[in-house]
Amino acid sequence: MEAPDCEVLSVREQLFHERIRECIISTLLFATLYILCHIFLTRFKKPAEFTTVDDADATVNKIALELCTFTLAIALGAVLLLPFSIISNEVLLSLPRNYYIQWLNGSLIHGLWNLVFLFSNLSLIFLMPFAYFFTESEGFAGSRKGVLGRVYETVVMLMLLTLLVLGMVWVASAIVDNNKASRESLYDFWEYYLPYLYSCISFLGVLLLLVCTPLGLARMFSVTGKLLVKPRLLEDLEEQLYCSAFEEAALTRRICNPTSCWLPLDMELLHRQLLALQTQRVLLEKRQKASAWQRNLGYPLAMLCLLVLTGASLGQVSFSKLGSFGAVVQVVLIFYLMVSSVVGFYSSPLFRSLRPRWHDTAMTQIIGNCVCLLVLSSALPVFSRTLGLTRFDLLGDFGRFNWLGNFYIVFLYNAAFAGLTTLCLVKTFTAAVRAELIRAFGLDRLPLPVSGFPRASRKTQHQ
């Protein structure tokens, strides 16, 4: 064999081994995310839906749960996509010729972006609608009952939904961009249709983040205050323990002596209230045993960190010039905004009913949560790029969103985000100040007026 043939063969072998290595790394990463999401979802699912008498219902719920696990793993991968790319870029710049990080190359990062884009489309357009219709289906009239009949009905419903969505996207494209070339490009399903449809979904996700993230940034202070132990100046744990013990003793007497009251009592509701009070008392006792360092130093440091992160997310500061430290700050800000957006999403009145409950979440509710989390996480790279938190270019089909280059859209989005965040923070802090003033002056202990009883006149009072 001649020397040129050996060189060509060695290049082909190297490309083959690199491709196999990228597939193995991607599979291991996805398997890790899938296992974590499966463990997470099993903590919230309702066990009664998986142990029913009808085997078909249990099988349908198990299949839907696996599809939800796949979707949640893709959502978690979309969240980790931009931080992983930023850290990988810094590692490659710092150690360009290190033998042990040769697997961390640009081809792997581009492949991960393309895989997340592909599976996000697959989950949003096909898997999650299939899971919802599958759990709600009963089979066609006259067909044999079982899983196969439900599959037929679900496939028909999914085909009708796909035609409806494709038609709506085609009409929307014709209205927005009345160009023959742009309409004809939509006939190419893979190259133009899916990216355009995903661009619309991502734009809706970015708008949802615009509403939820300011709420979450304001809500993070109260959530952190509940998790940490406040200083004695701001919180009286002894009084809370005394009130909790008093309420627990009163409920215990009512449960032990139900005949002493002439009103009918809901014993199940009383037992639930007693369990909640006992849990609250145990938590208060744990917080009372906290050390002085944890009480006087942990809470102020946490509030200071939240203030710094919130201010950094509002300020248009380029951290890419700070090198590795700037990359770490960017990653921390991206995770902080994602956590804040999830907190704000579940705190908003519109989506509060979707909040999952421990071992008491219905299958349809799990599907709704997975869809919403995937929409939020898929829009996170575009959201971070729009706010200017990072200068890292979006790779793959994520960089094909045309509206990212529109100056007016980006400017109005940043102005709306800063205004909404400032409004939510001012409202939160002023509400806390009002509550502390009312508590300081003792106005919270005043008796409330009882409706339905007219006030006595002066003549009656004198009599």
Side-chain angles (χ1 to χ4, degrees):
M1 187 178 292
E2 298 181 357
D5 295 335
C6 293
E7 292 179 358
V8 172
L9 184 60
S10 63
V11 170
R12 290 180 178 177
E13 289 179 352
Q14 184 178 0
L15 292 176
F16 174 77
H17 290 304
E18 288 180 355
R19 186 62 179 172
I20 295 298
R21 182 178 58 195
E22 292 173 7
C23 293
I24 293 174
I25 293 173
S26 302
T27 304
L28 289 176
L29 290 175
F30 178 75
T32 304
L33 296 178
Y34 188 90
I35 293 172
L36 292 176
C37 294
H38 183 76
I39 294 173
F40 180 77
L41 286 181
T42 51
R43 297 295 184 271
F44 289 97
K45 70 177 183 180
K46 188 180 292 185
E49 294 183 349
F50 296 85
T51 57
T52 57
V53 179
D54 191 359
D55 294 335
D57 290 337
T59 304
V60 167
N61 288 327
K62 290 178 182 178
I63 295 174
L65 183 65
E66 297 302 323
L67 295 178
C68 290
T69 306
F70 179 86
T71 303
L72 192 60
I74 297 300
L76 186 57
V79 172
L80 299 174
L81 200 58
L82 191 57
F84 179 76
S85 302
I86 294 173
I87 294 176
S88 302
N89 187 39
E90 290 298 323
V91 171
L92 290 176
L93 290 176
S94 302
L95 304 170
R97 297 182 179 179
N98 195 326
Y99 174 77
Y100 296 100
I101 61 170
Q102 292 299 317
W103 59 272
L104 193 63
N105 50 23
S107 178
L108 174 64
I109 298 174
H110 278 80
L112 291 176
W113 281 77
N114 291 328
L115 287 175
V116 169
F117 180 82
L118 172 64
F119 289 133
S120 298
N121 281 287
L122 182 65
S123 299
L124 286 174
I125 301 173
F126 297 106
L127 296 185
M128 285 296 95
F130 180 85
Y132 177 75
F133 291 136
F134 197 36
T135 55
E136 296 295 323
S137 64
E138 296 180 356
F140 291 111
S143 62
R144 181 181 298 178
K145 298 297 182 181
V147 178
L148 194 59
R150 293 187 175 189
V151 171
Y152 291 152
E153 181 184 356
T154 305
V155 170
V156 172
M157 292 294 296
L158 190 59
M159 291 176 60
L160 294 176
L161 179 64
T162 303
L163 292 176
L164 178 63
V165 172
L166 294 181
M168 291 175 62
V169 173
W170 197 89
V171 171
S173 174
I175 294 174
V176 174
D177 190 5
N178 192 10
N179 189 1
K180 184 179 179 181
S182 64
R183 290 199 301 266
E184 289 180 353
S185 64
L186 284 176
Y187 293 115
D188 193 345
F189 184 81
W190 184 261
E191 290 293 331
Y192 294 97
Y193 212 116
L194 281 181
Y196 185 81
L197 180 60
Y198 191 77
S199 176
C200 297
I201 297 174
S202 179
F203 185 72
L204 293 177
V206 171
L207 293 180
L208 187 61
L209 285 173
L210 178 62
V211 178
C212 296
T213 308
L215 292 175
L217 290 173
R219 181 69 176 165
M220 285 292 289
F221 291 91
S222 58
V223 171
T224 307
K226 291 180 180 178
L227 295 177
L228 298 179
V229 181
K230 297 180 181 179
R232 296 185 183 275
L233 181 63
L234 301 177
E235 186 180 33
D236 191 359
L237 288 176
E238 295 181 356
E239 182 179 356
Q240 295 182 17
L241 273 173
Y242 177 77
C243 294
S244 179
F246 183 77
E247 293 177 1
E248 184 179 348
L251 272 179
T252 305
R253 282 198 306 270
R254 293 182 66 182
I255 292 174
C256 295
N257 301 319
T259 58
S260 60
C261 184
W262 58 275
L263 293 175
L265 298 178
D266 189 355
M267 300 303 296
E268 184 178 357
L269 178 61
L270 290 178
H271 281 290
R272 287 201 301 266
Q273 291 178 354
L274 180 61
L275 182 61
L277 285 173
Q278 290 175 350
T279 306
Q280 181 183 4
R281 179 176 55 81
V282 171
L283 293 176
L284 288 174
E285 289 176 353
K286 290 182 179 180
R287 296 177 66 180
Q288 191 181 25
K289 296 177 182 178
S291 62
W293 289 97
Q294 185 179 358
R295 183 187 301 275
N296 299 321
L297 191 61
Y299 181 80
L301 283 179
M303 292 295 109
L304 183 61
C305 291
L306 289 180
L307 285 174
V308 171
L309 291 174
T310 305
S313 62
L314 288 176
Q316 295 295 324
V317 182
S318 178
F319 296 101
S320 57
K321 301 178 181 179
L322 300 178
S324 301
F325 177 74
V328 173
V329 173
Q330 291 177 16
V331 171
V332 172
L333 282 177
I334 290 171
F335 282 126
Y336 177 66
L337 287 179
M338 186 61 200
V339 173
S340 301
S341 64
V342 173
V343 172
F345 176 79
Y346 287 115
S347 300
S348 60
L350 186 61
F351 302 104
R352 192 174 297 169
S353 58
L354 276 177
R355 187 182 302 172
R357 295 179 298 274
W358 193 262
H359 290 298
D360 193 24
T361 307
M363 197 65 239
T364 54
Q365 193 174 356
I366 292 177
I367 294 173
N369 279 278
C370 291
V371 170
C372 294
L373 290 177
L374 181 58
V375 171
L376 291 175
S377 60
S378 300
L380 182 63
V382 184
F383 178 69
S384 304
R385 190 72 174 84
T386 306
L387 291 182
L389 298 178
T390 179
R391 299 297 179 185
F392 191 87
D393 294 331
L394 302 182
L395 304 177
D397 291 316
F398 284 91
R400 297 174 60 179
F401 299 154
N402 297 326
W403 51 271
L404 280 176
N406 193 322
F407 171 76
Y408 297 102
I409 293 179
V410 174
F411 175 76
L412 290 176
Y413 189 89
N414 280 270
F417 179 77
L420 289 174
T421 304
T422 305
L423 181 63
C424 292
L425 289 175
V426 169
K427 183 178 179 181
T428 300
F429 285 122
T430 54
V433 171
R434 287 197 304 268
E436 292 296 333
L437 288 176
I438 291 174
R439 186 181 303 174
F441 287 105
L443 299 178
D444 57 334
R445 301 175 183 176
L446 293 177
L448 296 175
V450 181
S451 59
F453 293 94
R455 294 183 178 179
S457 61
R458 293 183 179 178
K459 185 182 295 183
T460 308
Q461 290 177 357
H462 286 300
Q463 290 177 357

